[in-house]
């Protein structure tokens, strides 16, 4: 196999991998957004998906009395 064919095959494989990753991320994003939309505006994303995002030690659920 010529070097040019190897380069073309490598670029095609990289492009295919990029497209697959893009489609999977897009599907996951729309899944998350549809879940949040079904729950309504009362439920925040940090309650629905606690494993994502920043975790703060001072995070409290429910009513909080301001300091």
């Amino acid at each position: 196999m010529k070097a040019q064919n190897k380069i073309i095959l490598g670029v095609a494989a990289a492009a295919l991998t990029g497209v697959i990753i893009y489609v999977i991320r897009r599907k996951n994003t729309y899944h998350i957004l549809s879940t949040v939309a079904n729950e309504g505006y009362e439920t925040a994303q940090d309650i629905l998906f606690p494993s994502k995002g920043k975790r703060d030690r001072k995070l409290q659920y429910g009513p909080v009395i301001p300091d």
Side-chain angles (χ1 to χ4, degrees), residues 17-57:
T17 304
V19 168
I20 290 172
I21 290 172
Y22 171 75
V23 168
I24 290 172
R25 285 187 178 180
R26 183 175 172 190
K27 179 182 173 186
N28 289 340
T29 301
Y30 283 121
H31 174 70
I32 289 171
L33 292 177
S34 67
T35 303
V36 171
N38 287 338
E39 288 291 326
Y41 294 106
E42 297 86 19
T43 308
Q45 282 190 350
D46 58 346
I47 295 172
L48 290 173
F49 307 104
S51 63
K52 295 183 181 243
K54 298 179 181 178
R55 292 186 183 207
D56 191 8
R57 292 182 187 173

Side-chain angles (χ1 to χ4, degrees), residues 2-18:
K2 291 183 178 182
Q4 184 179 8
N5 290 343
K6 288 182 182 180
I7 293 172
I8 292 172
L9 186 61
V11 169
L16 181 63
T17 304

